[in-house]
Each structure stands twice: as structure tokens, then as C-alpha cells.
Amino acid sequence: MKRNIFFATAMALCMGLSFTSCLDSNNDSDTNYVGGFVKVSSNYMGLGSFTSPDGKTTISLSSASLSNLEQNGFKMAEVNAAFIQGTYSELDNPDATTSLKFNNVNITYAASLDARVEIVYEKGAVNDSINTACIRGIDNTNRTNNFFDDSYNKPWFFYDETTLILPISYNLSGQKLHHFTLVFYASDVEPGDTSLKLSLKHYNANDNSSNNDSYSLAGSYPYAYFYAFNLKNAIQSWQRVAQSSAEPTSVTIEYVASEFSTDLAQGDTKLMNIERKGLGQE
């Protein structure tokens, strides 16, 4: 019996991707698929593995697939979060859908979602990030014609509560690579704070086109819409500045948004508070 197990409602397609490679694909209609959003959980004894957003499902790679990934530029040791698609055999995984452990999986698609997080103790420092253009938003649950359900179209955390996914909607031509950075400014910490404040910076490489919206491209190009930020160091820095042994209970994202313009002067500064709990947790 054919089985498709995905940690999202969409399956990314290999359609002339410009920033990542399509790996060996299998178009057999009886192929069993597994994949979606994953966190790289280990690379033990030469065998890589991935974990689902809720931490309950593990995907272990075949040695051939791991080698293929590395050769195509996907370095397991350098990636925190990704979107993947793979195939598996029921002979190797007779009870995978109940055990939630998939072994000897052949990865057919893999794209890192990782983006930078900077710790800045003085604004304007050499590692500070510039903001060159508005985004449209990071909560896109009120929009339609996207391949992912609403739980993925607003900010969410992996099970570790340190890997934050931002679904960033912004205009792009598709010809230039945009970059996003979350910046922790130590000077933003105030006495009694319980939320980690981060500023989202968008570098658009002078791409002011409105031909495409990353939101509508998410099904085919998930890495152009979903960005993963590892907040571990930012949380530790916040604790040091706040002189607190407790971790922040939430994250507050500051960003500049406009639905109609990329010009920062035309945008509005917005704040969004995100509770630190894994996707699906009550």
C-alpha cells in the first residue's frame, strides 16, 4: 500500500530550483513518501537523521543518500532545520507509521531553511545587519492559495523551543537572493523583561520587483518563504544581559511591513509576540 507521511500539508516539488539541487528522484506511483519540515538531529557513525517538528518522528538516511546529500552541497553538520522529501521501502519499515521511525530513507529533495542570528551589543557594530526593504508579513493565516495549512503560515517553534520558523511573505523577482537576519540588541533588554526581543532585517539586494510573492511560491520553493533561526545563543545572551537564570518565555519580533511597497519609508513598524512552545503543544 502506498503511504505518504508529511509533516505539513504540501510536498515540495523539484521545479528548476536555483539555490538547491534536486537529488535522485523516483516517480514510481507505488513509492512511499516521507518528509516535510525537519531538524537535523544527528550524524552519528556516518548515518544522518532528521526529526519532525514535534520531536516524535525520526528519519534515518541510507548511507548512499547521505553521501549524495553531501556531494550536492547539503552538509548535515552545518544545517539545523530543513525541508526534505524522501522515499522508503515497506520491507525496511513494516511498522513505520506506528513506530514513527523511518529507516534507510532515500532523500530525493533537501533544502536548508537556516538564516542568521546576530548578537549585537552596540548598534551599528560591524556585525549589525542592515534593513533595506519592507516585508509583507510573518503571519499569513488570513490569506489563501498557499499549499500549507495555517499552523505553518504563522511563526512557530520546533520541539526544542529554540528553533524558530518564520514564514516571511515578501516581494521578489526570483532573480536575486534575499537574506533575512534576526538581530538581538543587548540595549533592548529592560528590567523585568520576560520576552526576547529580536529585530528582523531584510536585505533585498536592490530587488524591488513585485512580480512574485514568496507566500505563493512556498509549495515549490519552501526555502524562499520559510526561514529557520536558531535562537540558542540569543537566549543565552539575553540571560546574561538580563542577569536572569530563567529563559525568556516568549519571543517578540520587530519588523517593518507594507502590503504595497518595499520602501521602508512607506512601511509600518510592527511587533509580534510568539510563545516559546513547540508546534502542536498545548
Short mmCIF file of all heavy atoms in Angstrom, two decimals, residues 72-126:
data_model
loop_
_atom_site.label_atom_id
_atom_site.label_comp_id
_atom_site.label_asym_id
_atom_site.label_seq_id
_atom_site.Cartn_x
_atom_site.Cartn_y
_atom_site.Cartn_z
N ASN A 72 25.96 17.01 -3.08
CA ASN A 72 25.13 18.06 -3.67
C ASN A 72 25.12 19.34 -2.82
O ASN A 72 24.33 20.25 -3.07
CB ASN A 72 23.70 17.56 -3.86
CG ASN A 72 23.55 16.70 -5.10
OD1 ASN A 72 23.32 17.19 -6.20
ND2 ASN A 72 23.71 15.39 -4.93
N GLY A 73 26.00 19.40 -1.82
CA GLY A 73 26.16 20.63 -1.07
C GLY A 73 25.35 20.76 0.19
O GLY A 73 25.41 21.79 0.87
N PHE A 74 24.57 19.72 0.54
CA PHE A 74 23.79 19.74 1.77
C PHE A 74 24.62 19.07 2.86
O PHE A 74 24.69 17.85 2.94
CB PHE A 74 22.47 19.00 1.58
CG PHE A 74 21.51 19.13 2.74
CD1 PHE A 74 20.51 20.09 2.73
CD2 PHE A 74 21.59 18.28 3.83
CE1 PHE A 74 19.61 20.21 3.79
CE2 PHE A 74 20.71 18.38 4.89
CZ PHE A 74 19.72 19.35 4.87
N LYS A 75 25.28 19.88 3.69
CA LYS A 75 26.18 19.37 4.72
C LYS A 75 25.42 19.19 6.02
O LYS A 75 25.03 20.16 6.67
CB LYS A 75 27.35 20.33 4.92
CG LYS A 75 28.10 20.68 3.63
CD LYS A 75 28.77 19.48 3.00
CE LYS A 75 29.59 19.88 1.79
NZ LYS A 75 30.23 18.71 1.12
N MET A 76 25.20 17.94 6.41
CA MET A 76 24.41 17.65 7.60
C MET A 76 24.94 18.37 8.84
O MET A 76 24.17 18.90 9.65
CB MET A 76 24.38 16.15 7.85
CG MET A 76 23.64 15.34 6.81
SD MET A 76 21.85 15.42 6.97
CE MET A 76 21.59 14.45 8.44
N ALA A 77 26.25 18.42 9.00
CA ALA A 77 26.84 19.00 10.19
C ALA A 77 26.67 20.51 10.25
O ALA A 77 26.85 21.12 11.30
CB ALA A 77 28.33 18.66 10.26
N GLU A 78 26.28 21.13 9.13
CA GLU A 78 26.17 22.59 9.06
C GLU A 78 24.72 23.07 9.02
O GLU A 78 24.48 24.28 8.94
CB GLU A 78 26.92 23.10 7.83
CG GLU A 78 28.41 22.77 7.84
CD GLU A 78 29.10 23.14 6.55
OE1 GLU A 78 28.43 23.72 5.66
OE2 GLU A 78 30.31 22.87 6.42
N VAL A 79 23.77 22.15 9.04
CA VAL A 79 22.35 22.51 8.89
C VAL A 79 21.60 22.24 10.19
O VAL A 79 21.78 21.19 10.82
CB VAL A 79 21.69 21.73 7.73
CG1 VAL A 79 20.21 22.07 7.63
CG2 VAL A 79 22.40 22.06 6.42
N ASN A 80 20.75 23.16 10.58
CA ASN A 80 19.91 22.99 11.76
C ASN A 80 18.50 22.54 11.39
O ASN A 80 17.98 21.57 11.92
CB ASN A 80 19.85 24.29 12.56
CG ASN A 80 18.98 24.19 13.79
OD1 ASN A 80 19.03 23.20 14.52
ND2 ASN A 80 18.14 25.19 14.03
N ALA A 81 17.86 23.25 10.44
CA ALA A 81 16.49 22.92 10.04
C ALA A 81 16.39 22.90 8.52
O ALA A 81 17.08 23.66 7.83
CB ALA A 81 15.51 23.92 10.63
N ALA A 82 15.52 22.05 8.02
CA ALA A 82 15.41 21.88 6.57
C ALA A 82 14.01 21.44 6.18
O ALA A 82 13.18 21.10 7.03
CB ALA A 82 16.44 20.85 6.08
N PHE A 83 13.77 21.45 4.88
CA PHE A 83 12.57 20.84 4.32
C PHE A 83 13.05 19.73 3.40
O PHE A 83 13.89 19.95 2.53
CB PHE A 83 11.74 21.86 3.52
CG PHE A 83 10.36 21.37 3.18
CD1 PHE A 83 9.28 21.70 3.98
CD2 PHE A 83 10.13 20.56 2.07
CE1 PHE A 83 8.00 21.24 3.68
CE2 PHE A 83 8.86 20.09 1.78
CZ PHE A 83 7.78 20.44 2.59
N ILE A 84 12.53 18.52 3.62
CA ILE A 84 13.01 17.36 2.87
C ILE A 84 11.86 16.56 2.29
O ILE A 84 10.70 16.67 2.72
CB ILE A 84 13.88 16.43 3.73
CG1 ILE A 84 13.03 15.78 4.83
CG2 ILE A 84 15.08 17.17 4.31
CD1 ILE A 84 13.71 14.60 5.52
N GLN A 85 12.20 15.74 1.33
CA GLN A 85 11.30 14.72 0.80
C GLN A 85 12.13 13.47 0.59
O GLN A 85 13.27 13.54 0.14
CB GLN A 85 10.69 15.16 -0.53
CG GLN A 85 9.82 14.09 -1.20
CD GLN A 85 9.30 14.56 -2.55
OE1 GLN A 85 8.95 15.73 -2.70
NE2 GLN A 85 9.27 13.67 -3.52
N GLY A 86 11.57 12.31 0.95
CA GLY A 86 12.31 11.07 0.78
C GLY A 86 11.38 9.91 0.48
O GLY A 86 10.15 10.02 0.61
N THR A 87 11.97 8.81 0.09
CA THR A 87 11.22 7.59 -0.18
C THR A 87 11.74 6.47 0.70
O THR A 87 12.91 6.47 1.10
CB THR A 87 11.35 7.17 -1.66
OG1 THR A 87 12.73 6.92 -1.96
CG2 THR A 87 10.81 8.26 -2.58
N TYR A 88 10.86 5.53 1.00
CA TYR A 88 11.27 4.41 1.84
C TYR A 88 10.56 3.13 1.40
O TYR A 88 9.50 3.16 0.75
CB TYR A 88 10.98 4.69 3.31
CG TYR A 88 9.51 4.75 3.68
CD1 TYR A 88 8.85 3.62 4.17
CD2 TYR A 88 8.78 5.94 3.54
CE1 TYR A 88 7.51 3.67 4.51
CE2 TYR A 88 7.44 5.99 3.89
CZ TYR A 88 6.81 4.86 4.38
OH TYR A 88 5.47 4.92 4.70
N SER A 89 11.15 2.01 1.77
CA SER A 89 10.60 0.71 1.44
C SER A 89 9.85 0.15 2.64
O SER A 89 10.33 0.23 3.78
CB SER A 89 11.73 -0.25 1.05
OG SER A 89 11.28 -1.59 1.03
N GLU A 90 8.70 -0.44 2.39
CA GLU A 90 7.94 -1.08 3.47
C GLU A 90 8.66 -2.31 3.99
O GLU A 90 8.45 -2.72 5.13
CB GLU A 90 6.54 -1.45 2.98
CG GLU A 90 5.62 -0.25 2.81
CD GLU A 90 4.19 -0.66 2.55
OE1 GLU A 90 3.69 -1.58 3.24
OE2 GLU A 90 3.57 -0.08 1.65
N LEU A 91 9.52 -2.91 3.18
CA LEU A 91 10.27 -4.06 3.65
C LEU A 91 11.22 -3.66 4.78
O LEU A 91 11.43 -4.42 5.73
CB LEU A 91 11.06 -4.67 2.49
CG LEU A 91 10.24 -5.30 1.36
CD1 LEU A 91 11.14 -5.79 0.25
CD2 LEU A 91 9.41 -6.46 1.91
N ASP A 92 11.81 -2.47 4.66
CA ASP A 92 12.70 -1.96 5.70
C ASP A 92 11.93 -1.33 6.86
O ASP A 92 12.48 -1.16 7.95
CB ASP A 92 13.65 -0.91 5.13
CG ASP A 92 14.61 -1.48 4.11
OD1 ASP A 92 14.94 -2.67 4.21
OD2 ASP A 92 15.03 -0.72 3.21
N ASN A 93 10.67 -0.97 6.60
CA ASN A 93 9.89 -0.22 7.59
C ASN A 93 8.46 -0.77 7.69
O ASN A 93 7.49 -0.07 7.37
CB ASN A 93 9.84 1.26 7.21
CG ASN A 93 11.20 1.89 7.13
OD1 ASN A 93 11.73 2.37 8.13
ND2 ASN A 93 11.79 1.90 5.93
N PRO A 94 8.29 -2.01 8.13
CA PRO A 94 6.96 -2.61 8.15
C PRO A 94 5.97 -1.93 9.10
O PRO A 94 4.76 -1.98 8.90
CB PRO A 94 7.22 -4.06 8.57
CG PRO A 94 8.51 -4.00 9.32
CD PRO A 94 9.32 -2.94 8.63
N ASP A 95 6.49 -1.29 10.16
CA ASP A 95 5.60 -0.65 11.14
C ASP A 95 5.92 0.83 11.33
O ASP A 95 5.67 1.41 12.38
CB ASP A 95 5.68 -1.37 12.48
CG ASP A 95 7.07 -1.29 13.10
OD1 ASP A 95 8.02 -0.93 12.36
OD2 ASP A 95 7.21 -1.56 14.31
N ALA A 96 6.45 1.47 10.29
CA ALA A 96 6.93 2.86 10.40
C ALA A 96 5.83 3.83 10.79
O ALA A 96 6.05 4.77 11.55
CB ALA A 96 7.58 3.30 9.10
N THR A 97 4.63 3.61 10.27
CA THR A 97 3.56 4.58 10.54
C THR A 97 3.07 4.51 11.97
O THR A 97 2.41 5.43 12.44
CB THR A 97 2.37 4.35 9.58
OG1 THR A 97 1.93 2.99 9.69
CG2 THR A 97 2.78 4.63 8.14
N THR A 98 3.38 3.44 12.68
CA THR A 98 3.00 3.35 14.10
C THR A 98 4.20 3.61 15.02
O THR A 98 4.07 4.25 16.06
CB THR A 98 2.41 1.96 14.42
OG1 THR A 98 3.32 0.94 14.01
CG2 THR A 98 1.08 1.79 13.72
N SER A 99 5.39 3.15 14.60
CA SER A 99 6.58 3.38 15.42
C SER A 99 7.13 4.79 15.23
O SER A 99 7.88 5.30 16.07
CB SER A 99 7.68 2.37 15.05
OG SER A 99 8.18 2.62 13.74
N LEU A 100 6.77 5.43 14.10
CA LEU A 100 7.25 6.77 13.74
C LEU A 100 8.77 6.80 13.59
O LEU A 100 9.41 7.83 13.82
CB LEU A 100 6.79 7.81 14.77
CG LEU A 100 5.27 7.92 14.98
CD1 LEU A 100 4.95 9.01 15.98
CD2 LEU A 100 4.57 8.19 13.65
N LYS A 101 9.32 5.67 13.17
CA LYS A 101 10.75 5.59 12.88
C LYS A 101 10.92 5.06 11.46
O LYS A 101 10.49 3.94 11.15
CB LYS A 101 11.46 4.68 13.88
CG LYS A 101 11.40 5.18 15.32
CD LYS A 101 12.19 4.27 16.25
CE LYS A 101 12.04 4.70 17.70
NZ LYS A 101 12.52 6.07 17.94
N PHE A 102 11.53 5.87 10.62
CA PHE A 102 11.73 5.51 9.22
C PHE A 102 13.22 5.29 8.99
O PHE A 102 14.04 6.17 9.23
CB PHE A 102 11.21 6.63 8.30
CG PHE A 102 9.73 6.84 8.39
CD1 PHE A 102 9.19 7.64 9.40
CD2 PHE A 102 8.86 6.24 7.49
CE1 PHE A 102 7.83 7.83 9.50
CE2 PHE A 102 7.49 6.43 7.58
CZ PHE A 102 6.97 7.23 8.59
N ASN A 103 13.56 4.10 8.53
CA ASN A 103 14.95 3.72 8.35
C ASN A 103 15.32 3.56 6.89
O ASN A 103 14.48 3.24 6.04
CB ASN A 103 15.23 2.39 9.09
CG ASN A 103 15.00 2.52 10.58
OD1 ASN A 103 15.53 3.42 11.23
ND2 ASN A 103 14.20 1.62 11.13
N ASN A 104 16.61 3.77 6.62
CA ASN A 104 17.15 3.57 5.27
C ASN A 104 16.38 4.39 4.23
O ASN A 104 16.07 3.92 3.14
CB ASN A 104 17.10 2.08 4.90
CG ASN A 104 18.12 1.72 3.85
OD1 ASN A 104 19.21 2.29 3.81
ND2 ASN A 104 17.78 0.76 3.00
N VAL A 105 16.09 5.64 4.57
CA VAL A 105 15.32 6.52 3.70
C VAL A 105 16.23 7.14 2.64
O VAL A 105 17.35 7.58 2.93
CB VAL A 105 14.63 7.64 4.51
CG1 VAL A 105 13.94 8.64 3.59
CG2 VAL A 105 13.63 7.02 5.48
N ASN A 106 15.73 7.17 1.41
CA ASN A 106 16.44 7.80 0.30
C ASN A 106 15.91 9.22 0.13
O ASN A 106 14.74 9.41 -0.23
CB ASN A 106 16.23 7.00 -0.99
CG ASN A 106 16.88 7.68 -2.19
OD1 ASN A 106 18.02 8.15 -2.10
ND2 ASN A 106 16.16 7.74 -3.30
N ILE A 107 16.73 10.22 0.42
CA ILE A 107 16.30 11.61 0.33
C ILE A 107 16.33 12.06 -1.14
O ILE A 107 17.36 11.98 -1.81
CB ILE A 107 17.20 12.52 1.18
CG1 ILE A 107 17.14 12.09 2.64
CG2 ILE A 107 16.77 13.98 1.04
CD1 ILE A 107 15.76 12.17 3.27
N THR A 108 15.20 12.53 -1.62
CA THR A 108 15.08 12.96 -3.02
C THR A 108 15.06 14.48 -3.15
O THR A 108 15.21 15.02 -4.24
CB THR A 108 13.80 12.40 -3.65
OG1 THR A 108 12.67 12.80 -2.88
CG2 THR A 108 13.86 10.88 -3.71
N TYR A 109 14.85 15.18 -2.03
CA TYR A 109 14.83 16.64 -2.05
C TYR A 109 15.25 17.12 -0.66
O TYR A 109 14.80 16.59 0.35
CB TYR A 109 13.42 17.17 -2.36
CG TYR A 109 13.27 18.68 -2.24
CD1 TYR A 109 13.43 19.49 -3.35
CD2 TYR A 109 12.96 19.27 -1.02
CE1 TYR A 109 13.29 20.87 -3.24
CE2 TYR A 109 12.83 20.64 -0.90
CZ TYR A 109 13.00 21.44 -2.02
OH TYR A 109 12.86 22.80 -1.90
N ALA A 110 16.13 18.12 -0.63
CA ALA A 110 16.55 18.68 0.66
C ALA A 110 16.95 20.13 0.47
O ALA A 110 17.72 20.45 -0.44
CB ALA A 110 17.71 17.89 1.25
N ALA A 111 16.41 20.99 1.30
CA ALA A 111 16.76 22.42 1.25
C ALA A 111 16.90 22.94 2.67
O ALA A 111 15.98 22.81 3.48
CB ALA A 111 15.69 23.21 0.50
N SER A 112 18.05 23.52 2.97
CA SER A 112 18.25 24.15 4.27
C SER A 112 17.35 25.38 4.38
O SER A 112 17.19 26.13 3.42
CB SER A 112 19.71 24.55 4.45
OG SER A 112 19.88 25.33 5.61
N LEU A 113 16.78 25.59 5.57
CA LEU A 113 15.96 26.77 5.84
C LEU A 113 16.69 27.77 6.73
O LEU A 113 16.13 28.81 7.09
CB LEU A 113 14.65 26.35 6.52
CG LEU A 113 13.80 25.30 5.80
CD1 LEU A 113 12.56 24.97 6.62
CD2 LEU A 113 13.41 25.76 4.40
N ASP A 114 17.94 27.47 7.08
CA ASP A 114 18.65 28.25 8.09
C ASP A 114 18.93 29.68 7.65
O ASP A 114 19.30 29.94 6.50
CB ASP A 114 19.98 27.58 8.43
CG ASP A 114 19.79 26.27 9.17
OD1 ASP A 114 18.68 26.01 9.65
OD2 ASP A 114 20.78 25.51 9.27
N ALA A 115 18.75 30.60 8.59
CA ALA A 115 19.08 32.01 8.40
C ALA A 115 19.87 32.49 9.61
O ALA A 115 19.91 31.83 10.64
CB ALA A 115 17.81 32.84 8.20
N ARG A 116 20.48 33.66 9.50
CA ARG A 116 21.41 34.12 10.53
C ARG A 116 20.71 34.76 11.72
O ARG A 116 19.66 35.37 11.61
CB ARG A 116 22.37 35.16 9.94
CG ARG A 116 23.39 34.60 8.97
CD ARG A 116 24.47 35.63 8.68
NE ARG A 116 23.88 36.91 8.27
CZ ARG A 116 24.48 38.08 8.41
NH1 ARG A 116 25.66 38.16 9.00
NH2 ARG A 116 23.90 39.19 7.98
N VAL A 117 21.37 34.62 12.87
CA VAL A 117 21.00 35.34 14.09
C VAL A 117 22.26 36.05 14.56
O VAL A 117 23.32 35.43 14.71
CB VAL A 117 20.49 34.39 15.19
CG1 VAL A 117 20.18 35.17 16.47
CG2 VAL A 117 19.25 33.64 14.72
N GLU A 118 22.18 37.36 14.78
CA GLU A 118 23.33 38.13 15.21
C GLU A 118 23.11 38.67 16.63
O GLU A 118 22.01 39.11 16.97
CB GLU A 118 23.59 39.31 14.26
CG GLU A 118 24.06 38.91 12.88
CD GLU A 118 25.49 38.38 12.86
OE1 GLU A 118 26.17 38.43 13.91
OE2 GLU A 118 25.91 37.90 11.78
N ILE A 119 24.17 38.63 17.43
CA ILE A 119 24.17 39.20 18.77
C ILE A 119 24.92 40.53 18.70
O ILE A 119 26.12 40.55 18.41
CB ILE A 119 24.87 38.27 19.79
CG1 ILE A 119 24.37 36.83 19.63
CG2 ILE A 119 24.68 38.80 21.20
CD1 ILE A 119 22.90 36.65 19.86
N VAL A 120 24.23 41.64 18.91
CA VAL A 120 24.83 42.96 18.75
C VAL A 120 24.78 43.71 20.08
O VAL A 120 23.69 43.99 20.60
CB VAL A 120 24.11 43.77 17.65
CG1 VAL A 120 24.70 45.18 17.55
CG2 VAL A 120 24.22 43.05 16.30
N TYR A 121 25.94 44.02 20.61
CA TYR A 121 26.00 44.72 21.90
C TYR A 121 26.01 46.24 21.73
O TYR A 121 25.74 46.97 22.69
CB TYR A 121 27.22 44.25 22.69
CG TYR A 121 27.01 42.86 23.26
CD1 TYR A 121 27.43 41.73 22.55
CD2 TYR A 121 26.36 42.68 24.47
CE1 TYR A 121 27.22 40.45 23.06
CE2 TYR A 121 26.14 41.40 24.98
CZ TYR A 121 26.57 40.30 24.27
OH TYR A 121 26.35 39.03 24.76
N GLU A 122 26.30 46.70 20.54
CA GLU A 122 26.26 48.13 20.26
C GLU A 122 25.72 48.33 18.85
O GLU A 122 26.29 47.82 17.88
CB GLU A 122 27.66 48.74 20.38
CG GLU A 122 27.68 50.25 20.19
CD GLU A 122 29.06 50.85 20.38
OE1 GLU A 122 29.95 50.13 20.89
OE2 GLU A 122 29.25 52.03 20.03
N LYS A 123 24.62 49.05 18.73
CA LYS A 123 24.01 49.27 17.42
C LYS A 123 24.99 49.96 16.49
O LYS A 123 25.67 50.89 16.87
CB LYS A 123 22.72 50.08 17.57
CG LYS A 123 21.62 49.32 18.29
CD LYS A 123 20.30 50.07 18.30
CE LYS A 123 19.22 49.23 18.99
NZ LYS A 123 17.90 49.90 19.01
N GLY A 124 25.04 49.45 15.26
CA GLY A 124 25.98 49.96 14.29
C GLY A 124 27.30 49.22 14.29
O GLY A 124 28.21 49.55 13.52
N ALA A 125 27.44 48.22 15.15
CA ALA A 125 28.67 47.42 15.21
C ALA A 125 28.87 46.68 13.89
O ALA A 125 27.96 46.57 13.06
CB ALA A 125 28.60 46.44 16.37
N VAL A 126 30.08 46.17 13.71
CA VAL A 126 30.42 45.55 12.44
C VAL A 126 29.51 44.38 12.09
O VAL A 126 29.27 44.09 10.92
CB VAL A 126 31.90 45.10 12.44
CG1 VAL A 126 32.13 43.99 13.46
CG2 VAL A 126 32.35 44.68 11.05
#
